[in-house]
Amino acid sequence: MNLADLTTLRVGGPAGRFVEATTRDELLAAIAELEEGDLVLGGGSNLVVADDGIAGTVLRVATRGVSEPRPGVLRVEAGEPWDGVVQAAIARGGAGVEALSGIPGSAGAAPIQNIGAYGQEIAASIVAVEVAEPGTGQVERLGPDELGFGYRTSVFKEGRPGVVVALELALDTGDPGLSRPIAYAQLASALQVRIGDRAPLERVRAAVLELRRSKGMVLDAADPDSVSAGSFFTNPIVTESFARSLPADAPRWPQEPEDPERVLPLGSAIPPPPPAGERHVKLSAAWLIERAGIPRGFALPGSRAGISAKHTLAIVNRGGAPAADVVQLADFVQTRVLSEFGVVLQPEPTLVGFGADLI
């Protein structure tokens, strides 16, 4: 089995051994046989595999199923396509994942990456994740406080071993058919509502899908810009003092709340402000890339990989590109942004078999 056939970026060499699990029993049995160096594969949408492939086993998780064990809670098997989960939630009138419409890949990968888009993250809806231990197949149930969620990360990305078997999501059903408050300006503009307003779930889904299509972020056989691993770099988080060194028009979003207002009796002495740590802000990786001189549609001479013509954050396969071309372009982007702004962009996809090719 060639992994280029199983990844949305269409790169990756052969698997030494390929196993597909379609039932829970098959999945747990296969997990029990996993060894170091083996690869667990879902939808292949957030993955870049080296041209040499994988010498060991590739386990593809293809278990399916969405159920409602109790009102307002969805139980999802790990191999269920993520967008099908969103559709199931909306069909039940439940809010919480509608802004995550159109994200490719499987449900099991969603908590690993803490997928997020347009003001929502899956961390806000997770009730529990069932995780099986490689080598034994023993299942453990983890709650939100044990999952170490952060911006595009979790305990799994930080090194905790485990294969997601299933997850449970809590939906908001207090206002059936209405979204959670819209929290992202671009989505609010598309819906012609204000930040904090709610909108019909189907309208939100349609608006999100249209926004994603405009950026080549919905898998579409007719759209060459969708042959990618999604956003290739995360938006960097830096200290506020460092952000001041960047051009004034660099987009930035505060990551921590301002100090709370203090109410004091009239005439009382004003105490010193409470100690505060260094504030952090999130920067726009797309802005940094474009300002570093890398436009949409850019490609290195002779390369079959390129920057999407629709979205600077995506690296696309223009047809027959090897993984080496993708890595070379990603390295070039990192080097340019580091040289211009002193910021190291971190890859968002999981990179397998490249060693230290990227910064």
Side-chain angles (χ1 to χ4, degrees), residues 303-323:
S303 176
R304 285 171 284 176
I307 300 296
S308 167
K310 297 177 179 176
H311 186 32
T312 319
L313 277 183
I315 293 178
V316 301
N317 188 335
R318 293 180 167 177

Side-chain angles (χ1 to χ4, degrees), residues 10 37 74 127 193 241 304 348:
R10 299 179 189 166
L74 291 186
V127 173
V193 301
S241 57
R304 285 171 284 176
E348 186 167 328

